[in-house]
Amino acid sequence: MTTTSDRIRELKTFDETKSGVKGLVDAGITKIPPFFIQPHEQGELVSLPVEIPVIDLSGANSDAALREQLVEKVKNASQTFGFFQVVNHGIPLEVLDEMLEGVKLFNEEEVEVKKKYYTRDYSSKKVIYNSNFDLYQSPAANWRDTLLITMAPEPPIPEELPAVCRDITFKYTEYIKRLGIILFELLSEALGLKPSYLTEIECNKGLNVLTHYYPPCPEPHLTVGTTKHSDPDFLTVLLQDSIGGLQVLYQNHWIDVPPVHGALVINVGDLLQLISNDKLKSVEHRVLANNIGPRVSVACFFTTHLNTNCNRLYGPIKELITEVSPPLYKETTVKDFILYYRSKGLDGRSSLDYFRL
Ligand code: OGA
Ligand code: NI
């Protein structure tokens, strides 16, 4: 039997290699270390043949009638699934592919190069490479390594980024910021607010780019790439490669978010659910481990992070409060929300419950 102190020692030994899950795979392991083994409820639910909507954004700049239809689609998807995919979003295919390639190149660098970025110092660093942000908090580790880059409000100086993905990260995030404005306008309208509402309250002030690398796993049925969770931000724009494995919880069933080359996956985060007073849904999702990868993804989180001082309070938007729809959450700063999320780690429970009135 593994005792708690054995487990902590094993986590530390793994962490101190600074070479992540990729390092284990490169060492040729055929059995996964016990601290990666997930508690049993993961993966028990059968998949449902329901499809996450794919929305064509080219209607955003057309006439009023088309725009209204588009807002309606965004609203329905954000209320029922909390997820949708978008095409004709304005980001060239080569830029998407080059971004994924940059993440792959970084993770496939020599360990000595990657180690320089390995840290758990979230309060002062803007470029953070590690495996499992919640390694010491969560019940089980995930089969995933991550490079996190805070690109807004203040980006790092270019030299702080790894050379192999430096230029493309700056280029990609310029496109993402522009797409963010369009999406927040549509979401504002979906809530019955003026188009600039959500950007005026600075939902897109911060942008954190989480690049994930999911190495092939020798025992994929025993662990997961990412534990079931919802995102601690206002909105996420996710770019995934062609491997697949992302699933969303819908009516207590897991449904696949199939890779569509050129599309981006959009999902409502916890903070948008909170300020929309549950009108928009932050839905739980997970990533299965695979044995055919590596799988690469880039999740752009619209939110400030712990390295940004921002004392703005967020609570349910006043315009959405009525006698029949009283406020459901207390106010919080983004920082307090993220500190709570991180203190808990990915444990399968929603952070929103803690802020619910
Ligand atoms: C996340 C996330 C999904 C993926 O970063 O929060 O859910 O496909 N990522 O990597
Ligand atoms: Ni997520």
Side-chain angles (χ1 to χ4, degrees), residues 229-231 267 285 301:
H229 69 285
S230 54
D231 293 349
N267 67 284
H285 52 284
F301 276 37

Side-chain angles (χ1 to χ4, degrees), residues 144 210 212 214 226 229 231-232 236 238-240 246 285-287 295 297-299 301 341:
R144 176 184 88 253
L210 283 88
H212 300 301
Y214 300 87
T226 305
H229 69 285
D231 293 349
T236 306
L238 178 92
L239 167 64
Q240 62 169 336
L246 174 62
H285 52 284
R286 68 177 182 183
V287 180
R295 174 179 185 270
S297 69
V298 179
F301 276 37
Y341 186 95

Side-chain angles (χ1 to χ4, degrees), residues 89-98 171-172 175 178 262:
H89 41 60
I91 312 183
L93 203 55
E94 312 85 76
V95 174
L96 303 182
D97 289 343
E98 201 185 320
K171 188 171 181 182
Y172 181 67
Y175 279 108
R178 264 178 267 163

